[in-house]
């Protein structure tokens, strides 16, 4: 195996050269559990931890390695290694961490495509699709929509769902598949390319691991039927993991997500709702909030049926979340800064009292 088979490229090699990391091994994080990592290199898989230096210089969760990361490491024996550096990420899929406002959770790093999986029988929601799209657009990851479990509904119902998506979501590929009958597999297999990394995201029980296993041709991940009435919210997959498929594609399977909070700082909303953005150029007021203003081009487009109202409402909701997220991040930074100042003065005082 070569590093390229894990998705390594010339940009990463350049960074390694420029930063004199030649004395280290290079590997990719394929799994993570409580700050312990499994890293795959050309020589095999190693259990790894980060250096104290990396831990202490970390300003937040984002500075720790995540699944998909490229790392410089020293291998100590046949299965243990220490991670010294995390190489720069070309993309990072993240969300607002559940219950911790202003903090982000990294879903995966260095992802080329996100497979947004929704089951057509119970899980389907265009609002949530738009939410995932926003996260992808913010992360610089290309989204692909995968509708699973089409064996459970009729062809007319499938066609209806595809029509409904088209009204609100343009220019994003949509694949309808069944992991049972493997309908649609021929086409979805054609999007999985050698050396590219695909991240499966979606709710619990939609068939992400079943798809992973089927594409791999072997049972890599445990899958299970969940009884929604007795096991509400139980997840089958409990950790993320990266696999290299036979055809050279690289897959990251994830635990199901219940909440997909917006931690957007890179214009993900603007890209996802570019129609609203371009309409707003014609609003009468430059600071139009598109909620009640006279001469608002967005509201008038809704009236004329040119813009989907539900999509617009979803946009407003996420915009609010984004504003809240940004304010909590600012708040956190301010607190950190104040604490830094306090610490500096405190240390000064101690010194003064000493002498
Ligand atoms: N009928 C039908 N059942 C499916 C399909 N895909 C998956 N299943 C079943 O749905 C259940 C859950 O599948 P998993 O692949 O474990 O779901 P998951 O998305 O990995 O779930 P988490 O790991 O909890 O996120 C299993 O019983 C699968 O057999 C499908 O296309 N059709
Ligand atoms: Mg799973
Ligand atoms: Zn407006």
């Amino acid at each position: 195996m070569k590093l390229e088979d894990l998705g390594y490229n010339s940009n990463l090699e350049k960074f390694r050269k420029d930063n004199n990391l030649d004395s280290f091994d290079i590997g990719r994080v394929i799994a993570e559990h409580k700050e312990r990592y499994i890293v795959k290199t050309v020589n095999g898989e190693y259990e790894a931890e980060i250096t104290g230096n990396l831990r202490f210089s970390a300003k937040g969760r984002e500075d720790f390695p995540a699944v998909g990361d490229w790392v410089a490491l020293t291998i100590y024996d046949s299965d243990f290694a220490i991670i010294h550096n995390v190489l720069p990420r070309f993309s990072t899929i993240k969300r607002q961490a559940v219950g911790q406002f202003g903090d982000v959770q990294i879903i995966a790093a260095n992802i080329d495509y996100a497979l947004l999986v929704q089951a057509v029988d119970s899980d389907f929601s265009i609002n949530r699709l738009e939410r995932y799209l926003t996260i992808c657009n913010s992360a610089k990851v290309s989204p692909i929509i995968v509708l699973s479990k089409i064996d459970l509904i009729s062809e007319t119902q499938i066609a209806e769902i595809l029509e409904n998506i088209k009204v609100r979501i343009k220019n994003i590929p949509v694949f309808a598949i069944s992991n049972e009958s493997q309908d649609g597999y021929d086409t979805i297999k054609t999007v999985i390319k050698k050396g590219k990394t695909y991240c499966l995201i979606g709710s619990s029980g939609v068939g992400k691991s079943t798809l992973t296993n089927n594409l791999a041709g072997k049972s890599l991940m445990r899958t299970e039927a969940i009884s929604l009435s007795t096991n509400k919210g139980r997840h089958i997959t409990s950790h993320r993991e990266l696999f290299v498929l036979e055809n050279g594609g690289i897959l990251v399977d994830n635990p199901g997500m219940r909440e997909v909070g917006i931690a957007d700082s890179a214009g993900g909303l603007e890209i996802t709702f570019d129609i609203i953005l371009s309409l707003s150029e014609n609003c009468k007021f430059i600071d139009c909030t598109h909620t009640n203003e006279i001469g608002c081009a967005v509201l008038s487009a809704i009236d004329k049926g040119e813009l989907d109202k539900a999509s617009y409402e979803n946009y407003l909701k996420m915009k609010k979340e984004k504003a809240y997220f940004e304010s909590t991040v600012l708040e956190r930074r301010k607190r950190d800064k104040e604490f830094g100042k306090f610490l500096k003065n405190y240390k000064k005082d101690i010194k003064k009292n000493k002498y």
Side-chain angles (χ1 to χ4, degrees), residues 147-287:
L147 303 172
S148 64
K149 306 200 184 183
I150 57 166
D151 53 289
L152 299 178
I153 62 171
S154 70
E155 280 191 21
T156 340
Q157 285 170 308
I158 300 167
E160 213 171 280
I161 287 180
L162 291 174
E163 267 318 299
N164 288 341
I165 293 178
K166 235 192 252 164
V167 172
R168 284 170 59 173
I169 297 171
K170 326 249 185 233
N171 306 322
I172 309 287
V174 183
F175 294 91
I177 62 154
S178 163
N179 291 316
E180 274 301 295
S181 66
Q182 306 218 345
D183 267 1
Y185 265 48
D186 286 349
T187 43
I188 201 164
K189 275 183 181 161
T190 62
V191 305
I192 313 280
K193 305 241 155 58
K194 185 175 162 44
K196 297 284 178 213
T197 309
Y198 302 77
C199 183
L200 286 142
I201 48 185
S203 312
S204 190
V206 296
K208 298 181 295 299
S209 300
T210 311
L211 180 59
T212 302
N213 290 344
N214 289 350
L215 289 174
K218 54 187 160 207
S219 192
L220 299 169
M221 298 295 286
R222 197 169 69 87
T223 62
E224 202 179 288
I226 38 173
S227 152
L228 285 177
S229 55
T230 55
N231 281 316
K232 246 199 171 120
R234 206 186 91 204
H235 297 250
I236 303 151
T237 302
S238 57
H239 65 282
R240 331 180 188 288
E241 194 162 341
L242 180 146
F243 304 100
V244 182
L245 302 179
E246 200 94 342
N247 84 341
I250 302 154
L251 277 194
V252 178
D253 188 15
N254 280 288
M257 287 194 253
R258 246 176 301 170
E259 285 176 58
V260 218
I262 298 296
D264 177 29
S265 51
L269 267 180
E270 285 76 2
I271 300 168
T272 311
F273 297 92
D274 59 340
I275 305 164
I276 296 184
L277 206 71
S278 56
L279 280 171
S280 68
E281 281 168 20
N282 297 317
C283 292
K284 188 169 170 195
F285 303 109
I286 195 139
D287 56 350

Side-chain angles (χ1 to χ4, degrees), residues 9-107:
N9 60 40
S10 53
N11 287 341
L12 290 159
E13 183 55 21
K14 184 171 183 311
F15 181 88
R16 159 152 96 163
K17 286 260 145 57
D18 291 350
N19 289 275
N20 301 319
L21 298 174
D22 286 336
S23 60
F24 295 111
D25 278 280
I26 296 288
R28 195 162 191 195
V29 177
I30 62 168
E32 187 258 319
H33 182 72
K34 296 203 166 111
E35 289 182 28
R36 304 185 75 144
Y37 307 88
I38 310 280
V39 180
K40 199 176 172 86
T41 75
V42 289
N43 299 313
E45 291 176 14
Y46 300 87
E47 194 187 314
E49 285 177 25
I50 57 174
T51 59
N53 197 11
L54 198 55
R55 182 186 314 274
F56 290 119
S57 61
K59 287 188 217 75
R61 295 299 324 159
E62 281 188 84
D63 296 329
F64 284 85
V67 170
D69 262 328
W70 288 96
V71 292
L73 72 172
T74 308
I75 295 166
Y76 282 99
D77 57 43
S78 64
D79 59 4
F80 186 71
I82 294 282
I83 297 171
H84 292 260
N85 291 80
V86 179
L87 274 56
R89 297 168 178 147
F90 68 79
S91 71
T92 317
I93 304 185
K94 54 193 169 187
R95 65 169 170 170
Q96 156 76 59
V98 178
Q100 287 165 293
F101 284 106
D103 207 359
V104 295
Q105 187 204 6
I106 304 225
I107 294 165

Side-chain angles (χ1 to χ4, degrees), residues 280 283-285 288-291 293 295-299:
S280 68
C283 292
K284 188 169 170 195
F285 303 109
C288 187
T289 62
H290 326 305
T291 50
E293 288 89 346
C296 171
V298 176
L299 292 176

Side-chain angles (χ1 to χ4, degrees), residues 59 328-346:
K59 287 188 217 75
T328 49
V329 167
L330 272 181
E331 184 65 27
R332 183 181 282 253
R333 279 207 196 113
K334 207 175 120 209
R335 276 204 311 265
D336 285 353
K337 222 170 157 183
E338 279 167 3
F339 185 69
K341 253 191 224 156
F342 161 78
L343 211 62
K344 220 165 125 193
N345 287 333
Y346 177 76

